[in-house]
Protein backbone atom coordinates (compact mmCIF):
# COMPACT_ATOMS: atom_id res chain seq x y z
CA UNK A 1 0.00 0.00 0.00
CA UNK A 2 1.34 3.40 -0.95
CA UNK A 3 1.41 6.05 1.73
CA UNK A 4 0.93 9.65 0.66
CA UNK A 5 3.71 11.79 2.10
CA UNK A 6 2.58 15.22 3.28
CA UNK A 7 5.58 17.35 4.06
CA UNK A 8 5.15 20.39 6.26
CA UNK A 9 7.07 23.35 4.88
CA UNK A 10 7.96 26.26 7.16
CA UNK A 11 7.00 29.88 6.61
CA UNK A 12 9.49 32.66 7.35
CA UNK A 13 8.50 34.27 10.65
CA UNK A 14 9.85 37.82 11.02
CA UNK A 15 9.76 37.91 14.84
CA UNK A 16 11.67 34.64 15.04
CA UNK A 17 14.27 35.94 12.60
CA UNK A 18 14.74 39.17 14.59
CA UNK A 19 15.46 37.09 17.73
CA UNK A 20 18.59 35.77 15.98
CA UNK A 21 20.46 39.10 15.99
CA UNK A 22 20.43 42.36 17.90
CA UNK A 23 22.86 44.59 16.00
CA UNK A 24 21.51 47.60 14.14
CA UNK A 25 22.13 48.77 10.55
CA UNK A 26 23.05 45.29 9.32
CA UNK A 27 20.46 43.97 6.83
CA UNK A 28 20.02 40.18 6.88
CA UNK A 29 18.53 38.25 4.00
CA UNK A 30 15.50 36.10 4.91
CA UNK A 31 14.24 35.17 1.43
CA UNK A 32 14.91 35.49 -2.27
CA UNK A 33 12.43 36.01 -5.11
CA UNK A 34 14.18 35.42 -8.44
CA UNK A 35 17.12 37.86 -8.24
CA UNK A 36 15.52 40.00 -5.51
CA UNK A 37 16.16 39.75 -1.78
CA UNK A 38 13.99 40.32 1.29
CA UNK A 39 16.19 41.69 4.08
CA UNK A 40 15.26 42.52 7.66
CA UNK A 41 17.10 45.19 9.61
CA UNK A 42 16.99 47.09 12.90
CA UNK A 43 17.77 50.77 12.64
CA UNK A 44 17.94 53.60 15.16
CA UNK A 45 19.21 57.13 14.70
CA UNK A 46 20.44 58.71 11.49
CA UNK A 47 21.66 56.97 8.38
CA UNK A 48 23.76 58.61 5.66
CA UNK A 49 22.39 60.38 2.62
CA UNK A 50 22.64 58.05 -0.36
CA UNK A 51 20.83 56.88 -3.45
CA UNK A 52 20.69 53.76 -5.58
CA UNK A 53 21.16 54.88 -9.20
CA UNK A 54 20.26 51.46 -10.58
CA UNK A 55 17.18 50.41 -8.61
CA UNK A 56 14.06 51.31 -6.65
CA UNK A 57 14.06 50.21 -2.99
CA UNK A 58 11.02 49.04 -1.00
CA UNK A 59 10.64 49.57 2.77
CA UNK A 60 8.01 47.69 4.78
CA UNK A 61 7.88 48.67 8.46
CA UNK A 62 7.23 45.79 10.87
CA UNK A 63 7.66 47.53 14.23
CA UNK A 64 8.32 51.14 15.23
CA UNK A 65 8.27 54.22 13.07
CA UNK A 66 10.63 55.05 10.22
CA UNK A 67 11.13 58.45 8.68
CA UNK A 68 12.84 58.77 5.33
CA UNK A 69 14.10 62.25 4.51
CA UNK A 70 14.31 63.44 0.93
CA UNK A 71 15.90 66.62 -0.39
CA UNK A 72 12.45 68.21 -0.65
CA UNK A 73 10.52 66.52 2.14
CA UNK A 74 9.99 63.28 4.04
CA UNK A 75 7.74 60.27 4.53
CA UNK A 76 6.78 58.57 7.78
CA UNK A 77 6.21 54.81 7.63
CA UNK A 78 4.49 52.86 10.42
CA UNK A 79 3.75 49.16 10.94
CA UNK A 80 1.37 47.97 8.24
CA UNK A 81 2.76 50.49 5.81
CA UNK A 82 5.32 50.51 3.02
CA UNK A 83 7.05 52.95 0.71
CA UNK A 84 9.10 52.60 -2.45
CA UNK A 85 11.99 55.01 -2.91
CA UNK A 86 12.47 55.50 -6.68
CA UNK A 87 15.87 54.81 -8.14
CA UNK A 88 18.25 57.73 -8.09
CA UNK A 89 16.35 59.63 -5.38
CA UNK A 90 18.60 60.74 -2.52
CA UNK A 91 17.24 59.60 0.84
CA UNK A 92 18.23 59.34 4.47
CA UNK A 93 16.42 56.91 6.78
CA UNK A 94 15.94 58.02 10.39
CA UNK A 95 14.40 56.39 13.46
CA UNK A 96 14.06 58.13 16.81
CA UNK A 97 13.77 54.75 18.54
CA UNK A 98 14.61 51.36 17.10
CA UNK A 99 12.50 50.36 14.14
CA UNK A 100 12.35 46.90 12.61
CA UNK A 101 11.76 46.82 8.91
CA UNK A 102 12.06 44.79 5.74
CA UNK A 103 13.87 45.95 2.61
CA UNK A 104 13.19 44.50 -0.82
CA UNK A 105 15.67 45.15 -3.59
CA UNK A 106 17.78 43.28 -6.16
CA UNK A 107 20.56 41.01 -4.90
CA UNK A 108 23.84 42.92 -4.63
CA UNK A 109 22.56 46.35 -3.57
CA UNK A 110 24.67 47.89 -0.81
CA UNK A 111 22.84 49.64 2.04
CA UNK A 112 24.78 52.85 1.51
CA UNK A 113 24.51 52.86 -2.28
CA UNK A 114 27.82 54.19 -3.58
CA UNK A 115 28.57 56.39 -0.56
CA UNK A 116 30.65 53.92 1.39
CA UNK A 117 31.65 54.81 4.95
CA UNK A 118 31.34 53.11 8.30
CA UNK A 119 27.64 52.42 7.92
CA UNK A 120 28.26 50.17 4.93
CA UNK A 121 27.18 46.69 5.96
CA UNK A 122 28.43 43.37 4.66
CA UNK A 123 26.16 42.28 1.87
CA UNK A 124 24.28 39.02 1.33
CA UNK A 125 24.33 37.87 4.97
CA UNK A 126 21.47 35.47 5.69
CA UNK A 127 19.70 34.90 8.97
CA UNK B 1 13.88 85.34 1.78
CA UNK B 2 13.80 81.78 0.58
CA UNK B 3 11.45 79.37 2.30
CA UNK B 4 12.48 75.73 2.48
CA UNK B 5 9.66 73.55 1.20
CA UNK B 6 9.20 70.31 3.11
CA UNK B 7 6.79 68.08 1.28
CA UNK B 8 5.05 65.32 3.18
CA UNK B 9 4.96 62.13 1.14
CA UNK B 10 2.42 59.43 1.97
CA UNK B 11 3.21 55.85 2.85
CA UNK B 12 1.05 53.01 1.49
CA UNK B 13 -1.21 51.83 4.30
CA UNK B 14 -2.46 48.28 3.77
CA UNK B 15 -5.58 48.61 5.98
CA UNK B 16 -6.63 51.77 4.16
CA UNK B 17 -6.14 50.07 0.81
CA UNK B 18 -8.23 47.06 1.86
CA UNK B 19 -11.11 49.40 2.78
CA UNK B 20 -11.35 50.35 -0.89
CA UNK B 21 -12.60 46.95 -2.10
CA UNK B 22 -14.35 43.91 -0.67
CA UNK B 23 -14.26 41.36 -3.49
CA UNK B 24 -12.12 38.26 -3.10
CA UNK B 25 -9.61 36.67 -5.48
CA UNK B 26 -8.89 39.95 -7.29
CA UNK B 27 -5.32 41.13 -6.66
CA UNK B 28 -4.90 44.92 -6.66
CA UNK B 29 -1.58 46.62 -7.23
CA UNK B 30 -0.50 49.01 -4.45
CA UNK B 31 3.12 49.64 -5.46
CA UNK B 32 5.79 48.90 -8.02
CA UNK B 33 9.49 48.21 -7.50
CA UNK B 34 11.29 48.32 -10.84
CA UNK B 35 9.31 45.78 -12.91
CA UNK B 36 7.87 44.02 -9.85
CA UNK B 37 4.44 44.64 -8.33
CA UNK B 38 3.10 44.51 -4.78
CA UNK B 39 -0.52 43.34 -4.90
CA UNK B 40 -2.99 42.94 -2.06
CA UNK B 41 -5.78 40.40 -2.22
CA UNK B 42 -8.54 38.87 -0.09
CA UNK B 43 -8.98 35.14 -0.50
CA UNK B 44 -11.32 32.58 1.06
CA UNK B 45 -11.85 28.97 0.13
CA UNK B 46 -10.00 26.99 -2.52
CA UNK B 47 -8.02 28.31 -5.44
CA UNK B 48 -7.07 26.29 -8.50
CA UNK B 49 -3.87 24.28 -8.86
CA UNK B 50 -1.43 26.26 -10.97
CA UNK B 51 2.21 27.18 -11.32
CA UNK B 52 4.24 30.08 -12.69
CA UNK B 53 6.90 28.54 -14.98
CA UNK B 54 8.73 31.85 -15.35
CA UNK B 55 8.90 33.26 -11.82
CA UNK B 56 8.99 32.75 -8.07
CA UNK B 57 6.04 34.24 -6.15
CA UNK B 58 6.17 35.79 -2.66
CA UNK B 59 3.25 35.67 -0.21
CA UNK B 60 3.16 37.91 2.88
CA UNK B 61 0.15 37.34 5.14
CA UNK B 62 -1.31 40.48 6.71
CA UNK B 63 -4.43 39.09 8.39
CA UNK B 64 -5.84 35.57 8.78
CA UNK B 65 -4.18 32.28 7.94
CA UNK B 66 -3.21 31.03 4.51
CA UNK B 67 -2.42 27.46 3.60
CA UNK B 68 -0.63 26.67 0.37
CA UNK B 69 -0.88 23.07 -0.76
CA UNK B 70 1.90 21.53 -2.81
CA UNK B 71 1.88 18.15 -4.54
CA UNK B 72 3.95 16.70 -1.67
CA UNK B 73 2.86 18.79 1.31
CA UNK B 74 1.78 22.23 2.46
CA UNK B 75 2.82 25.40 4.27
CA UNK B 76 0.76 27.49 6.70
CA UNK B 77 1.43 31.25 6.70
CA UNK B 78 0.20 33.57 9.46
CA UNK B 79 0.40 37.36 9.96
CA UNK B 80 4.04 38.38 10.29
CA UNK B 81 5.12 35.53 8.06
CA UNK B 82 5.98 35.07 4.41
CA UNK B 83 6.76 32.30 1.97
CA UNK B 84 8.25 32.22 -1.52
CA UNK B 85 6.87 29.58 -3.90
CA UNK B 86 9.67 28.68 -6.34
CA UNK B 87 9.00 29.02 -10.03
CA UNK B 88 7.45 26.01 -11.66
CA UNK B 89 6.18 24.51 -8.39
CA UNK B 90 2.49 23.57 -8.54
CA UNK B 91 0.55 25.13 -5.67
CA UNK B 92 -3.01 25.73 -4.52
CA UNK B 93 -3.74 28.49 -1.99
CA UNK B 94 -6.52 27.81 0.52
CA UNK B 95 -8.08 29.83 3.34
CA UNK B 96 -10.76 28.47 5.65
CA UNK B 97 -11.85 32.02 6.49
CA UNK B 98 -10.94 35.20 4.64
CA UNK B 99 -7.23 36.00 4.63
CA UNK B 100 -5.69 39.29 3.54
CA UNK B 101 -2.30 39.01 1.97
CA UNK B 102 0.27 40.65 -0.24
CA UNK B 103 1.77 39.07 -3.35
CA UNK B 104 5.05 40.18 -4.84
CA UNK B 105 5.92 39.11 -8.37
CA UNK B 106 6.95 40.56 -11.73
CA UNK B 107 4.47 42.79 -13.54
CA UNK B 108 2.31 40.74 -15.92
CA UNK B 109 1.96 37.53 -13.90
CA UNK B 110 -1.61 36.16 -13.96
CA UNK B 111 -3.04 34.84 -10.69
CA UNK B 112 -3.86 31.47 -12.26
CA UNK B 113 -0.59 31.10 -14.12
CA UNK B 114 -1.45 29.46 -17.43
CA UNK B 115 -4.46 27.54 -16.15
CA UNK B 116 -7.13 30.09 -17.07
CA UNK B 117 -10.69 29.50 -15.84
CA UNK B 118 -13.18 31.58 -13.89
CA UNK B 119 -10.75 32.42 -11.09
CA UNK B 120 -8.50 34.32 -13.50
CA UNK B 121 -8.53 37.95 -12.40
CA UNK B 122 -7.98 41.04 -14.50
CA UNK B 123 -4.32 41.95 -14.28
CA UNK B 124 -2.65 45.25 -13.40
CA UNK B 125 -5.61 46.78 -11.53
CA UNK B 126 -4.45 49.39 -9.01
CA UNK B 127 -6.14 50.41 -5.79
Amino acid sequence: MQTVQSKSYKAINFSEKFKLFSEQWTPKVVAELNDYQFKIVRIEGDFVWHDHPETDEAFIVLDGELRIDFRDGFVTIKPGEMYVVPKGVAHKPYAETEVRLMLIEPRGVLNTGHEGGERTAQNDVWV
Side-chain angles (χ1 to χ4, degrees), chain A:
Chain A
M1 200 179 95
Q2 198 185 355
T3 307
V4 175
Q5 294 290 330
S6 191
K7 187 172 169 183
S8 179
Y9 290 88
K10 189 164 165 28
I12 295 152
N13 182 293
F14 305 133
S15 293
E16 286 178 15
K17 292 291 188 186
F18 273 111
K19 285 181 188 158
L20 302 177
F21 68 102
S22 58
E23 65 271 29
Q24 298 175 332
W25 302 107
T26 58
K28 314 281 190 202
V29 183
V30 295
E32 284 187 338
L33 173 75
N34 302 325
D35 54 344
Y36 280 67
Q37 290 185 325
F38 293 77
K39 306 172 188 175
I40 58 171
V41 61
R42 299 169 183 272
I43 74 173
E44 183 173 3
D46 256 315
F47 202 59
V48 294
W49 280 103
H50 69 286
D51 66 357
H52 304 284
E54 70 290 3
T55 182
D56 301 340
E57 184 174 34
F59 295 77
I60 300 179
V61 170
L62 301 171
D63 190 45
E65 187 174 314
L66 176 70
R67 192 184 78 206
I68 303 177
D69 290 328
F70 303 111
R71 295 298 185 192
D72 67 348
F74 67 95
V75 63
T76 301
I77 317 169
K78 298 178 182 175
E81 295 184 338
M82 68 174 289
Y83 195 78
V84 178
V85 177
K87 67 179 171 185
V89 171
H91 59 283
K92 184 177 72 63
Y94 169 78
E96 190 169 334
T97 56
E98 184 176 273
V99 60
R100 304 194 304 179
L101 58 97
M102 187 157 63
L103 300 167
I104 304 153
E105 59 198 357
R107 198 184 294 137
V109 172
L110 282 178
N111 63 332
T112 49
H114 302 268
E115 294 303 316
E118 62 178 16
R119 285 284 200 214
T120 304
Q122 194 184 343
N123 210 1
D124 204 29
V125 177
W126 285 70
V127 72

